Amino acid sequence: MRDLKIPEQRHPEKARRPDNAQPKKPNWIRVKAPGGKAYAETHKIMRDNGLVTVCEEAGCPNVGECWSQGHATMMIMGEVCTRACTFCNIATGKPPEDLDAFEPGRVAHAVAKLGLNHVVITSVDRDDIEDGGAEHFAQTIRAVRHQSPSTTIEILTPDFIKCDASALEKVVEARPDVFNHNLETVPGLYPEVRPGARYFHSLRLLQRVKEMDPSMFTKSGIMVGLGEDSQSVRQVMDDMRAADIDFLTIGQYLQPTPKHHGIDRFVTPDEFAAYEKAAFGKGFLMVSATPLTRSSYHAGDDFARLRDARQKKLGQG
């Protein structure tokens, strides 16, 4: 039986990789250790409902801040991913269980209990399932809508690369408010960073969402500090705009263990500010580009700004 708390068992495919040095974090990356009453209450709701969160599984640096505000990003379909991206801390391998038919209801109960105005729901990749878990996503969206009709729903999905086109249609037909799928990095780094995925497939996935429902907000993000250069990041911005993506996130890559992809460098706050300015100049409705930016960090506040930006744009059109 695997113990997913042990790094060697959490990432068996990385066990024989050479270690990469983990450089000391600069002062702009430092965060407070999680704790406090509100944090503990969020933790209890997650455990009482038997839920997994990407906040914990991916080792997010913002977990203390977000959970203290009652915000947690639900991760559905188990805690073992069928991909083996070299940047990610989520456990990898063959998932030991089938999908849990009661999970959508438990997610909906937790959302109601937390009183969330905006919820982010993500998942592991499940290449072992015919539709990649698309129907499970749709059921979870519907369950949250039923229990918390005023809550806006943001999903962060896999790429459904091995699935029929109908898989994506199932998710879009459930009408989440925001459809997010991260490109993660520049195309030139895909073979070493995201080997199980394809850059243009992911880009096309987001483009198809817009074609199916032009009113749905689309969102994508990349990490920097993996070895990309500024020009390649700006090219990704252009590719995203060509696919009509509304919202871009850019954050600093942080190396989970010595066996993961090494950090090329820490990108400075001034560089992030320049990326944000460039992205707004290219026409994104919303941009979040800071060292600690993550897909779901401040997602509720950002969604409100995203909606306002669209209304302002339509009013000026």
Side-chain angles (χ1 to χ4, degrees):
M1 191 70 181
R2 289 173 68 182
D3 184 347
L4 298 184
K5 292 184 174 63
I6 301 172
E8 292 78 12
Q9 295 189 32
R10 190 174 181 82
H11 303 286
E13 82 291 346
K14 294 180 177 67
R16 296 188 181 183
R17 286 171 58 97
D19 285 1
N20 287 308
Q22 291 179 281
K24 185 180 178 183
K25 294 173 186 172
N27 57 11
W28 63 77
I29 295 286
R30 307 287 167 79
V31 294
K32 290 182 180 179
K37 183 180 177 184
Y39 175 93
E41 288 174 356
T42 302
H43 184 274
K44 186 175 187 300
I45 290 171
M46 295 301 105
R47 295 296 84 83
D48 287 352
N49 286 280
L51 297 175
V52 178
T53 70
V54 75
C55 322
E56 297 166 285
E57 296 302 312
C60 180
N62 304 315
V63 63
E65 178 186 345
C66 294
W67 282 33
S68 294
Q69 297 169 1
H71 300 156
T73 298
M74 318 290 177
M75 191 171 82
I76 59 176
M77 303 199 287
E79 55 185 337
V80 177
C81 184
T82 53
R83 303 284 174 91
C85 299
T86 61
F87 66 87
C88 186
N89 198 38
I90 291 169
T92 54
K94 187 178 186 303
E97 70 284 305
D98 294 330
L99 295 182
D100 179 353
F102 298 102
E103 184 175 55
R106 295 202 310 276
V107 170
H109 179 76
V111 170
K113 188 84 174 171
L114 288 165
L116 296 180
N117 294 320
H118 185 82
V119 63
V120 182
I121 301 165
T122 188
S123 77
V124 292
D125 274 283
R126 290 296 300 258
D127 294 319
D128 57 317
I129 298 168
E130 188 176 357
D131 74 350
E135 180 58 33
H136 199 74
F137 256 106
Q139 289 174 2
T140 305
I141 294 165
R142 289 192 289 265
V144 173
R145 283 262 186 264
H146 180 72
Q147 284 209 40
S148 305
S150 63
T151 299
T152 49
I153 301 171
E154 179 172 328
I155 57 169
L156 173 53
T157 76
D159 58 13
F160 304 116
I161 199 168
K162 297 183 178 180
C163 307
D164 186 81
S166 61
L168 182 61
E169 292 165 9
K170 289 179 190 176
V171 182
V172 174
E173 285 169 3
R175 294 196 54 77
D177 296 280
V178 181
F179 191 109
N180 185 2
H181 172 67
N182 285 333
L183 296 186
E184 306 292 9
T185 188
V186 302
L189 289 176
Y190 261 56
E192 56 185 284
V193 173
R194 203 173 172 229
R198 298 293 178 268
Y199 176 79
F200 287 104
H201 171 86
S202 287
L203 203 59
R204 176 66 183 138
L205 182 91
L206 288 155
Q207 188 177 39
R208 286 182 59 219
V209 172
K210 275 290 189 189
E211 290 169 358
M212 284 185 259
D213 187 346
S215 69
M216 191 172 291
F217 289 109
T218 51
K219 178 176 175 180
S220 190
I222 61 168
M223 301 166 288
V224 289
L226 284 158
E228 73 296 321
D229 60 23
S230 175
Q231 183 179 350
S232 61
V233 171
R234 283 170 166 75
Q235 182 61 56
V236 170
M237 292 181 191
D238 288 337
D239 292 346
M240 286 187 182
R241 287 305 302 132
D244 203 17
I245 292 168
D246 299 302
F247 188 168
L248 167 65
T249 62
I250 306 177
Q252 171 70 50
Y253 167 61
L254 296 175
Q255 184 182 342
T257 75
K259 299 296 183 184
H260 283 76
H261 193 287
I263 291 180
D264 178 67
R265 71 189 186 94
F266 290 104
V267 178
T268 67
D270 285 347
E271 290 175 275
F272 277 103
Y275 281 143
E276 181 178 289
K277 183 178 180 181
F280 274 122
K282 291 176 186 293
F284 287 95
L285 288 178
M286 182 68 199
V287 183
S288 177
T290 72
L292 288 171
T293 289
R294 296 296 182 265
S295 293
S296 52
Y297 187 43
H298 294 163
D301 294 338
D302 286 346
F303 176 72
R305 285 196 284 271
L306 181 65
R307 194 161 44 187
D308 289 347
R310 175 184 279 177
Q311 289 172 349
K312 185 178 179 183
K313 183 179 178 181
L314 291 174
Q316 291 175 343

